[in-house]
Amino acid sequence: MDWTLEVVVVPVSDVDRAKEFYADVVGFKLDHDVRPTEALRVVQLTPPGSGCSIVIGEGLGAMEPGSLDGVQLVVSDIDAARAELVERGLDVSEIKQFEPVDRDGSRFVFFKDLDGNGWAVQEIRARGGAPQPD
């Protein structure tokens, strides 16, 4: 049986401001913005190429805005990804290289959204194939 992660709820204080940030600055695709009831608004955005989306909105849960930390995106070229984010105006960290330096998956950048929710972007150049040494 496959178990797929489809949605991560991101707690934000201002839905319209966060929608603009994730769509225009981070580059996520806006899937929908619906208000099924007066108390519920669901805005779904998806990173390019991802099978998992984020949802921001109203009436979605009890998490405090800015309390989410450690959500991780994966790209095949961290240099190009960082350059794109910087070009879009995002305050993103310099590239961090972790040990071992020759291991795929050891390069990251980090950023926070407007509420302080923390994101990581990891470079993995090749998926699948032979396992790498620990």
Side-chain angles (χ1 to χ4, degrees), residues 8-23:
V8 174
V9 177
V10 178
V12 299
S13 59
D14 182 320
V15 178
D16 291 318
R17 188 175 74 133
K19 175 180 151 181
E20 183 178 320
F21 172 80
Y22 281 107

PDB file of all heavy atoms in Angstrom, residues 8-23:
ATOM      1  N   VAL A   8       0.369  19.877   3.500  1.00  0.00           N
ATOM      2  CA  VAL A   8       0.902  20.351   4.775  1.00  0.00           C
ATOM      3  C   VAL A   8       0.227  21.689   5.058  1.00  0.00           C
ATOM      4  O   VAL A   8       0.271  22.597   4.221  1.00  0.00           O
ATOM      5  CB  VAL A   8       2.437  20.522   4.730  1.00  0.00           C
ATOM      6  CG1 VAL A   8       2.953  21.148   6.017  1.00  0.00           C
ATOM      7  CG2 VAL A   8       3.115  19.181   4.464  1.00  0.00           C
ATOM      8  N   VAL A   9      -0.408  21.809   6.218  1.00  0.00           N
ATOM      9  CA  VAL A   9      -1.037  23.067   6.613  1.00  0.00           C
ATOM     10  C   VAL A   9       0.036  23.982   7.189  1.00  0.00           C
ATOM     11  O   VAL A   9       0.806  23.577   8.073  1.00  0.00           O
ATOM     12  CB  VAL A   9      -2.161  22.833   7.644  1.00  0.00           C
ATOM     13  CG1 VAL A   9      -2.751  24.159   8.107  1.00  0.00           C
ATOM     14  CG2 VAL A   9      -3.247  21.948   7.047  1.00  0.00           C
ATOM     15  N   VAL A  10       0.103  25.202   6.683  1.00  0.00           N
ATOM     16  CA  VAL A  10       1.071  26.196   7.140  1.00  0.00           C
ATOM     17  C   VAL A  10       0.286  27.312   7.842  1.00  0.00           C
ATOM     18  O   VAL A  10      -0.530  27.985   7.209  1.00  0.00           O
ATOM     19  CB  VAL A  10       1.893  26.757   5.964  1.00  0.00           C
ATOM     20  CG1 VAL A  10       2.858  27.829   6.441  1.00  0.00           C
ATOM     21  CG2 VAL A  10       2.655  25.630   5.252  1.00  0.00           C
ATOM     22  N   PRO A  11       0.530  27.499   9.143  1.00  0.00           N
ATOM     23  CA  PRO A  11      -0.227  28.516   9.883  1.00  0.00           C
ATOM     24  C   PRO A  11       0.286  29.924   9.601  1.00  0.00           C
ATOM     25  O   PRO A  11       1.478  30.201   9.747  1.00  0.00           O
ATOM     26  CB  PRO A  11      -0.001  28.124  11.342  1.00  0.00           C
ATOM     27  CG  PRO A  11       1.341  27.456  11.350  1.00  0.00           C
ATOM     28  CD  PRO A  11       1.455  26.761  10.016  1.00  0.00           C
ATOM     29  N   VAL A  12      -0.613  30.794   9.173  1.00  0.00           N
ATOM     30  CA  VAL A  12      -0.244  32.168   8.827  1.00  0.00           C
ATOM     31  C   VAL A  12      -1.212  33.147   9.484  1.00  0.00           C
ATOM     32  O   VAL A  12      -2.340  32.800   9.817  1.00  0.00           O
ATOM     33  CB  VAL A  12      -0.224  32.382   7.293  1.00  0.00           C
ATOM     34  CG1 VAL A  12       0.804  31.459   6.634  1.00  0.00           C
ATOM     35  CG2 VAL A  12      -1.596  32.182   6.672  1.00  0.00           C
ATOM     36  N   SER A  13      -0.773  34.382   9.646  1.00  0.00           N
ATOM     37  CA  SER A  13      -1.604  35.402  10.281  1.00  0.00           C
ATOM     38  C   SER A  13      -2.449  36.190   9.282  1.00  0.00           C
ATOM     39  O   SER A  13      -3.504  36.702   9.623  1.00  0.00           O
ATOM     40  CB  SER A  13      -0.735  36.373  11.089  1.00  0.00           C
ATOM     41  OG  SER A  13       0.212  37.005  10.244  1.00  0.00           O
ATOM     42  N   ASP A  14      -1.992  36.287   8.045  1.00  0.00           N
ATOM     43  CA  ASP A  14      -2.706  37.054   7.021  1.00  0.00           C
ATOM     44  C   ASP A  14      -2.722  36.210   5.747  1.00  0.00           C
ATOM     45  O   ASP A  14      -1.696  36.076   5.063  1.00  0.00           O
ATOM     46  CB  ASP A  14      -2.002  38.392   6.792  1.00  0.00           C
ATOM     47  CG  ASP A  14      -2.697  39.286   5.780  1.00  0.00           C
ATOM     48  OD1 ASP A  14      -3.187  38.776   4.749  1.00  0.00           O
ATOM     49  OD2 ASP A  14      -2.728  40.509   6.007  1.00  0.00           O
ATOM     50  N   VAL A  15      -3.860  35.633   5.431  1.00  0.00           N
ATOM     51  CA  VAL A  15      -3.967  34.683   4.322  1.00  0.00           C
ATOM     52  C   VAL A  15      -3.617  35.330   2.983  1.00  0.00           C
ATOM     53  O   VAL A  15      -2.863  34.756   2.191  1.00  0.00           O
ATOM     54  CB  VAL A  15      -5.376  34.048   4.275  1.00  0.00           C
ATOM     55  CG1 VAL A  15      -5.500  33.099   3.094  1.00  0.00           C
ATOM     56  CG2 VAL A  15      -5.669  33.321   5.579  1.00  0.00           C
ATOM     57  N   ASP A  16      -4.125  36.515   2.719  1.00  0.00           N
ATOM     58  CA  ASP A  16      -3.847  37.152   1.429  1.00  0.00           C
ATOM     59  C   ASP A  16      -2.374  37.495   1.277  1.00  0.00           C
ATOM     60  O   ASP A  16      -1.794  37.304   0.200  1.00  0.00           O
ATOM     61  CB  ASP A  16      -4.715  38.395   1.255  1.00  0.00           C
ATOM     62  CG  ASP A  16      -6.184  38.036   1.070  1.00  0.00           C
ATOM     63  OD1 ASP A  16      -6.472  37.076   0.329  1.00  0.00           O
ATOM     64  OD2 ASP A  16      -7.036  38.707   1.677  1.00  0.00           O
ATOM     65  N   ARG A  17      -1.769  37.995   2.337  1.00  0.00           N
ATOM     66  CA  ARG A  17      -0.334  38.319   2.304  1.00  0.00           C
ATOM     67  C   ARG A  17       0.494  37.054   2.108  1.00  0.00           C
ATOM     68  O   ARG A  17       1.439  37.029   1.304  1.00  0.00           O
ATOM     69  CB  ARG A  17       0.032  39.025   3.610  1.00  0.00           C
ATOM     70  CG  ARG A  17       1.424  39.590   3.652  1.00  0.00           C
ATOM     71  CD  ARG A  17       1.623  40.373   4.938  1.00  0.00           C
ATOM     72  NE  ARG A  17       1.760  39.451   6.050  1.00  0.00           N
ATOM     73  CZ  ARG A  17       2.699  39.539   6.985  1.00  0.00           C
ATOM     74  NH1 ARG A  17       3.557  40.530   6.972  1.00  0.00           N
ATOM     75  NH2 ARG A  17       2.757  38.647   7.944  1.00  0.00           N
ATOM     76  N   ALA A  18       0.138  35.961   2.804  1.00  0.00           N
ATOM     77  CA  ALA A  18       0.859  34.696   2.667  1.00  0.00           C
ATOM     78  C   ALA A  18       0.658  34.094   1.278  1.00  0.00           C
ATOM     79  O   ALA A  18       1.591  33.546   0.683  1.00  0.00           O
ATOM     80  CB  ALA A  18       0.408  33.719   3.747  1.00  0.00           C
ATOM     81  N   LYS A  19      -0.550  34.200   0.749  1.00  0.00           N
ATOM     82  CA  LYS A  19      -0.836  33.699  -0.603  1.00  0.00           C
ATOM     83  C   LYS A  19       0.058  34.397  -1.623  1.00  0.00           C
ATOM     84  O   LYS A  19       0.669  33.754  -2.483  1.00  0.00           O
ATOM     85  CB  LYS A  19      -2.314  33.937  -0.922  1.00  0.00           C
ATOM     86  CG  LYS A  19      -2.738  33.578  -2.314  1.00  0.00           C
ATOM     87  CD  LYS A  19      -4.231  33.882  -2.473  1.00  0.00           C
ATOM     88  CE  LYS A  19      -4.621  34.221  -3.862  1.00  0.00           C
ATOM     89  NZ  LYS A  19      -6.055  34.530  -3.986  1.00  0.00           N
ATOM     90  N   GLU A  20       0.158  35.698  -1.519  1.00  0.00           N
ATOM     91  CA  GLU A  20       1.023  36.466  -2.418  1.00  0.00           C
ATOM     92  C   GLU A  20       2.489  36.068  -2.243  1.00  0.00           C
ATOM     93  O   GLU A  20       3.219  35.891  -3.221  1.00  0.00           O
ATOM     94  CB  GLU A  20       0.848  37.958  -2.153  1.00  0.00           C
ATOM     95  CG  GLU A  20       1.656  38.842  -3.077  1.00  0.00           C
ATOM     96  CD  GLU A  20       1.424  40.317  -2.806  1.00  0.00           C
ATOM     97  OE1 GLU A  20       0.262  40.712  -2.553  1.00  0.00           O
ATOM     98  OE2 GLU A  20       2.412  41.071  -2.847  1.00  0.00           O
ATOM     99  N   PHE A  21       2.931  35.901  -1.003  1.00  0.00           N
ATOM    100  CA  PHE A  21       4.313  35.509  -0.720  1.00  0.00           C
ATOM    101  C   PHE A  21       4.634  34.162  -1.362  1.00  0.00           C
ATOM    102  O   PHE A  21       5.623  34.022  -2.090  1.00  0.00           O
ATOM    103  CB  PHE A  21       4.547  35.451   0.797  1.00  0.00           C
ATOM    104  CG  PHE A  21       5.880  34.883   1.187  1.00  0.00           C
ATOM    105  CD1 PHE A  21       7.025  35.671   1.146  1.00  0.00           C
ATOM    106  CD2 PHE A  21       5.999  33.563   1.592  1.00  0.00           C
ATOM    107  CE1 PHE A  21       8.266  35.152   1.503  1.00  0.00           C
ATOM    108  CE2 PHE A  21       7.232  33.035   1.942  1.00  0.00           C
ATOM    109  CZ  PHE A  21       8.369  33.829   1.903  1.00  0.00           C
ATOM    110  N   TYR A  22       3.817  33.149  -1.084  1.00  0.00           N
ATOM    111  CA  TYR A  22       4.122  31.812  -1.592  1.00  0.00           C
ATOM    112  C   TYR A  22       3.984  31.728  -3.112  1.00  0.00           C
ATOM    113  O   TYR A  22       4.752  31.022  -3.764  1.00  0.00           O
ATOM    114  CB  TYR A  22       3.260  30.755  -0.897  1.00  0.00           C
ATOM    115  CG  TYR A  22       3.791  30.412   0.471  1.00  0.00           C
ATOM    116  CD1 TYR A  22       3.157  30.846   1.624  1.00  0.00           C
ATOM    117  CD2 TYR A  22       4.970  29.675   0.616  1.00  0.00           C
ATOM    118  CE1 TYR A  22       3.664  30.546   2.882  1.00  0.00           C
ATOM    119  CE2 TYR A  22       5.481  29.378   1.874  1.00  0.00           C
ATOM    120  CZ  TYR A  22       4.826  29.815   2.996  1.00  0.00           C
ATOM    121  OH  TYR A  22       5.343  29.525   4.239  1.00  0.00           O
ATOM    122  N   ALA A  23       3.054  32.455  -3.704  1.00  0.00           N
ATOM    123  CA  ALA A  23       2.881  32.418  -5.157  1.00  0.00           C
ATOM    124  C   ALA A  23       3.917  33.284  -5.874  1.00  0.00           C
ATOM    125  O   ALA A  23       4.589  32.820  -6.801  1.00  0.00           O
ATOM    126  CB  ALA A  23       1.471  32.862  -5.530  1.00  0.00           C
TER     127      ALA A  23
END
